[in-house]
Amino acid sequence: GLPKGVVVLGATGSIGTSTLDVISRHPELYRVHALTAHSSREALLQQCLKHRPDVAVIDSAEDAGWMAARLQEAGVATEMHHGQRALEEVAGASEADVVMAAIVGAAGLLPTLAAVRAGKRVLLANKEALVMSGNLFMRAVEKSGATLLPIDSEHNAIFQCLPGHHRGGLVHHGVTQLLLTASGGPFRGYDREHLATVTPDQACAHPNWSMGRKISVDSATLMNKGLELIEACWLFDARPDQIQVVVHPQSVIHSMVAYSDGSVLAQLGNPDMRTPIAYGLSWPDRIDSGVETLDLFAVARLDFEPADERAFPCLRLAREAMACGGVQPAVLNAANEVAVAAFLDGHIGFNDIPALVEQVREGVTEGGAETLEAVLEADRHARCLARAWLERKNG
Ligand code: NDP
Ligand code: MG
């Protein structure tokens, strides 16, 4: 058949770049319909010159104009659009068969939902979107018939270890537990006192994965694992108590599924996001991703240990937010986004991230998350409380 049209939301990021790498290996299978970025106009321009999408989207009109002029000079027919609405439009465009949702944070919610509502094959990297709007998001998937495939390496691994049709509750299929692996991040083994002194650059130097700065900090605080726990509950219809976090420093096992007969299935591979991206693109088939086969003799050993929730309270905070339900996961996510940005800007210390998140969570009264408006309002309110906390702290 014809090559499938792919939209990459967040094309200039770590996941976006890896996605384009996989796609460009298979021109007979995929064509790039649209690429989007927030403000990296030079990087987006280079991607457009190379991949020649029909459309590209950037946030500001000025950057869009700058790009349009360069594209015209180069004789490339990519149409430039700008603004939030344009993101939603390309995500739902009729030329799009596959949408890679790889914008970071809450900014990805509306475009990702647009792809879901349009019934696309949605490759979900943007976990924050699902964490914020869980129930609403999954109901939109059901309603539109979208194919939702997890790109987060852990969820992609679990998906690969589950039977083909796992809808309708895990116990139905003899699943007793989902084992979510975690590298432990760059500060594994540190105590609170030591964590108080760590810098943003140290937090962004992950031992096994190269990622955007926000998720790198989340990996260092274990909030990433907390967000992933919530993500897994929604994707696999699991309860928080059916998910166990296992720290596995080598990041070779990407996650596991335990069954009632004692079997534990695992997915292994080199830590490279092109593997889950390729699986999302090609499922239920397999394509070459450019990732080398795992060399087990080079790995030599696999270690496992429990997570240290005293030094890294974010995991507990996320589990509690999921147990509370309603808008609490959205509040957790928003407070965390503000805290991580403040940490990256040097305004607060590492241990202030969980402290801020916990304070904001306590300040928000519980509410339902049945409507998009309720979710967005909770997000806004939590950000206000978080900024007030920062002002009290630093002002
Ligand atoms: P990056 O920071 O590397 O890239 C983010 C992308 O989103 C960039 O293209 C950026 O554009 C765009 N973007 C940022 N803010 C906005 C905004 N307000 N509106 C529109 N676009 C925006 O992030 P990653 O690639 O690391 O992560 C992307 C998502 O994937 C995250 O949700 C992360 O949790 C998830 N993920 C990432 C993994 C990884 O290995 N990196 C692994 C598993 C999940 P610009 O360049 O112009 O700023
Ligand atoms: Mg992950």
Side-chain angles (χ1 to χ4, degrees), residues 126-296:
N126 179 209
K127 64 193 91 184
E128 297 93 342
L130 181 58
V131 166
M132 290 174 75
S133 67
N135 189 34
L136 188 110
F137 191 106
M138 296 309 289
R139 271 190 292 143
V141 171
E142 257 169 57
K143 194 171 162 209
S144 71
T147 306
L148 181 64
L149 296 169
I151 296 305
D152 217 342
S153 58
E154 295 78 2
H155 306 73
N156 193 273
I158 290 168
F159 179 68
Q160 294 194 42
C161 297
L162 282 172
H165 295 280
H166 56 266
R167 287 277 149 74
L170 292 174
V171 277
H172 252 41
H173 303 278
V175 174
T176 53
Q177 217 168 27
L178 304 179
L179 302 167
L180 196 62
T181 55
S183 68
F187 308 136
R188 186 174 58 87
Y190 286 29
D191 60 17
R192 303 245 327 147
E193 202 184 338
H194 194 177
L195 287 173
T197 64
V198 302
T199 67
D201 283 345
Q202 288 172 318
C204 289
H206 196 278
N208 308 330
W209 299 94
S210 130
M211 309 180 286
R213 284 170 77 77
K214 192 265 178 178
I215 186 177
S216 294
V217 176
D218 285 347
S219 298
T221 60
L222 291 199
M223 182 59 94
N224 183 50
K225 214 46 55 181
L227 297 175
E228 290 183 354
L229 186 141
I230 298 173
E231 183 186 14
C233 287
W234 291 115
L235 284 173
F236 307 119
D237 199 5
R239 296 186 313 266
D241 65 275
Q242 292 175 305
I243 301 173
Q244 186 175 4
V245 172
V246 179
V247 174
H248 162 47
Q250 290 89 358
S251 300
V252 163
I253 295 179
H254 298 308
S255 277
M256 297 168 263
V257 177
Y259 288 89
S260 54
D261 61 1
S263 295
V264 177
L265 301 196
Q267 187 256 355
L268 288 72
N270 285 314
D272 187 320
M273 289 306 293
R274 290 177 300 173
T275 296
I277 290 167
Y279 194 61
L281 283 165
S282 62
W283 176 85
D285 298 331
R286 300 260 178 188
I287 55 171
D288 172 31
S289 66
V291 178
E292 277 178 36
T293 305
L294 187 62
D295 178 353
L296 280 173

Side-chain angles (χ1 to χ4, degrees), residues 22-145:
V22 177
I23 287 175
S24 62
R25 291 165 193 274
H26 304 280
E28 72 296 352
L29 296 177
Y30 308 105
R31 62 181 297 273
V32 181
H33 170 60
L35 298 176
T36 86
H38 182 60
S39 57
S40 304
R41 66 185 195 180
E42 187 58 51
L44 186 62
L45 175 66
Q46 291 310 320
Q47 291 183 337
C48 289
L49 295 175
K50 176 155 185 222
H51 300 279
R52 304 187 168 236
D54 304 319
V55 185
V57 182
I58 196 150
D59 191 53
S60 80
E62 192 204 327
D63 286 341
W66 180 88
M67 283 187 65
R70 299 298 165 302
L71 288 165
Q72 199 182 15
E73 278 164 24
V76 171
T78 300
E79 225 178 87
M80 284 306 308
H81 294 210
H82 65 90
Q84 167 79 38
R85 266 296 158 76
L87 290 175
E88 293 176 52
E89 274 162 24
V90 292
S94 59
E95 296 91 335
D97 302 298
V98 184
V99 178
M100 166 55 82
I103 292 174
V104 60
L109 176 60
L110 295 178
T112 304
L113 264 184
V116 165
R117 286 172 172 160
K120 306 299 184 191
R121 171 182 288 223
V122 179
L123 311 188
L124 183 72
N126 179 209
K127 64 193 91 184
E128 297 93 342
L130 181 58
V131 166
M132 290 174 75
S133 67
N135 189 34
L136 188 110
F137 191 106
M138 296 309 289
R139 271 190 292 143
V141 171
E142 257 169 57
K143 194 171 162 209
S144 71

Side-chain angles (χ1 to χ4, degrees), residues 332-391:
L332 172 97
N333 177 67
N336 181 58
E337 284 189 27
V338 174
V340 170
F343 171 70
L344 283 172
D345 288 342
H347 299 318
I348 60 173
F350 190 82
N351 291 329
D352 291 326
I353 298 173
L356 188 161
V357 171
E358 183 145 35
Q359 281 294 305
V360 170
R361 278 204 40 214
E362 281 168 6
V364 176
T365 49
E366 277 155 48
E370 281 81 43
T371 65
L372 189 55
E373 290 65 39
V375 170
L376 295 174
E377 177 51 33
D379 176 84
R380 262 194 303 272
H381 186 203
R383 282 170 203 270
C384 277
L385 292 176
R387 280 191 287 266
W389 189 94
L390 289 174
E391 269 165 39

